[in-house]
């Protein structure tokens, strides 16, 4: 394993059409046309991208048990900048270089201002000045979103394995084995059988 | 030795046997867990790793805490602690929600939809096939009413409709009440 620091590319792109960044049986992330993007690099390798524009996160955090379904889907309109770590090869095909007007539309005076904002989010995500392992991430994706209070929400997905951590919810899924923790309730399920633990359980 | 003492001795032996079996089961599960290992390994930044570790710890603590509070392991074995009637605080009745649920149940078509969903999640076209007497637009309208009442939930990616835990209870309750009324007439 080679150790590198992450760095942001100095070219700002925009997405030329609505693009699906990740899609699986349980969820999807897509960005709309004209979303700004900057590549995240480690050494010479593109390891991800930072986006700013409108998009959508949908995640079916529903557990189907033999006693009925528990939970509901997460549907989130994305408007704040977010990070995607994973293969950018297919996404890059929809990139074109952003012009001044594209930056102004998103409230930036110049490309450098966008890159500075992107760097500050990357510092929160990776940790300031820390070296990172540039290992293989396989076919997986990792997303870091900002919620309304600018707290990080994280989604890690690789095939049927999903980890989603938001302020009021933690969802961990590996095929039929699922853990869902929401405020006041924890559900542990395996192949349709589930244990529901209510945190206000009075003894 | 009296008959009562004999029974007590027998019970003591049975308890010991159960405890021994439980220990064997625990060891077998632990061995299986070790053999399976962990297949997902992602090496990422400290910040994100800490966030996920916090989440996992929080889930584990929550499960451990609730089990500790709800399961009592004593000399007579494992028992589940239940709320006693005197300790239970009856929550105030939400009449508005109750009426919404009863309204959702108050249509033959919606009860038929719930019945279909009792056997597992279904796509709209599957429901259309199974319930040909309901038109497509009416079916969607019924599903929306059931979803708003919390009796049904839709997977947004796949589009399947699933009956919820309250949905199953409500359907069974409605069927039982109808049966009871029929029998008492």
């Amino acid at each position: 394993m080679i150790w590198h620091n992450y760095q942001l590319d100095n070219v700002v792109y925009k997405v030329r059409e609505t693009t699906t960044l990740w899609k699986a049986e349980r969820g999807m992330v897509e960005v709309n046309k004209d979303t700004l993007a900057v590549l995240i690099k480690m050494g010479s390798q593109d390891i991800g991208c930072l986006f700013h524009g409108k998009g959508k996160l949908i995640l079916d955090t529903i557990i189907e048990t033999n006693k009925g379904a528990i939970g509901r889907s997460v549907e989130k309109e994305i408007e704040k900048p977010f990070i995607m770590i994973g293969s950018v090869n297919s996404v890059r095909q929809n990139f074109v270089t952003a012009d001044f007007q594209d930056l102004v539309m998103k409230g930036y005076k110049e490309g450098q201002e966008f890159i500075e904002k992107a760097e500050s989010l990357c510092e929160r995500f990776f940790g300031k000045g820390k070296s990172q392992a540039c290992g293989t991430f396989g076919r997986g994706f990792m997303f870091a979103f900002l919620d309304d209070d600018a707290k990080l929400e994280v989604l890690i997905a690789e095939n049927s394995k999903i980890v989603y951590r938001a302020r009021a919810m933690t969802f961990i899924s590996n095929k039929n084995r699922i853990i869902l923790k929401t405020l006041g309730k924890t559900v542990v399920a395996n192949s349709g059988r589930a244990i529901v633990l209510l945190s206000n359980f009075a003894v | 030795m009296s008959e009562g003492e004999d029974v007590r001795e027998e019970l003591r032996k049975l308890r010991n046997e159960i405890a021994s079996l439980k220990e064997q089961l625990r060891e077998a599960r632990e061995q299986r867990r070790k053999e399976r290992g962990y297949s997902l390994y992602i090496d990422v930044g400290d910040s994100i790793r800490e966030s996920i570790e916090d989440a996992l710890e929080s889930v584990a603590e929550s499960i451990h805490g609730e089990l500790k509070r709800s399961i009592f392991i004593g000399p007579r074995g494992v028992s589940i602690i239940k709320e006693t009637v005197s300790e239970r605080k009856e929550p105030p009745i939400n009449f508005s929600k109750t009426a919404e649920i009863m309204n959702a149940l108050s249509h033959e078509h919606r009860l038929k939809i719930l019945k279909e969903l009792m056997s597992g999640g279904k796509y709209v076209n599957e429901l259309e096939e199974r319930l040909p007497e309901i038109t497509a637009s009416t079916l969607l309208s019924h599903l929306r009413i059931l979803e708003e009442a919390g009796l049904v939930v839709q997977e947004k990616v796949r589009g399947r409709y699933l009956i919820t835990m309250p949905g199953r209870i409500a359907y069974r309750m409605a069927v039982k009440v109808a049966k009871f009324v029929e029998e008492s007439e």
Side-chain angles (χ1 to χ4, degrees), chain A residues 132-145:
Chain A
Q132 301 301 320
C134 180
T136 50
F137 193 57
R139 287 159 295 176
F141 284 93
M142 190 183 304
F143 295 91
F145 306 99

Side-chain angles (χ1 to χ4, degrees), chain B residues 110-127:
Chain B
R110 293 199 281 272
L111 289 169
K112 283 181 177 175
I113 293 168
L114 289 177
K115 182 181 177 291
E116 289 301 329
L117 295 176
M118 288 287 277
S119 57
K122 290 192 176 53
Y123 296 97
V124 173
N125 61 345
E126 288 178 301
L127 287 169

Side-chain angles (χ1 to χ4, degrees), chain A residues 60 64 67-69 73 124-125 132-133 137 142 154 156 158 161 165 172 179 181 186 198-199 201-203, chain B residues 40 42-45 47-48 51 55-56 58-59 62 66 69 81 83 121 155-157 160 163 165 168:
Chain A
D60 284 334
E64 191 177 5
K67 300 284 180 197
S73 296
R124 283 188 62 190
F125 183 70
Q132 301 301 320
F137 193 57
M142 190 183 304
V154 178
I156 301 171
E158 188 184 26
K161 295 166 191 165
R165 167 95 197 267
I172 301 163
I179 297 173
K181 182 174 182 280
T186 302
L198 302 174
S199 57
F201 186 88
V203 179
Chain B
L40 178 66
I42 302 161
D43 197 352
V44 289
S47 150
I48 205 74
S51 172
L56 294 174
S58 148
V59 168
S62 166
E66 293 308 322
R69 280 199 289 167
I81 304 164
E83 290 174 273
E155 292 175 327
K156 300 299 177 195
V157 182
R160 268 192 330 159
I163 190 165
M165 275 187 172
R168 286 183 82 95

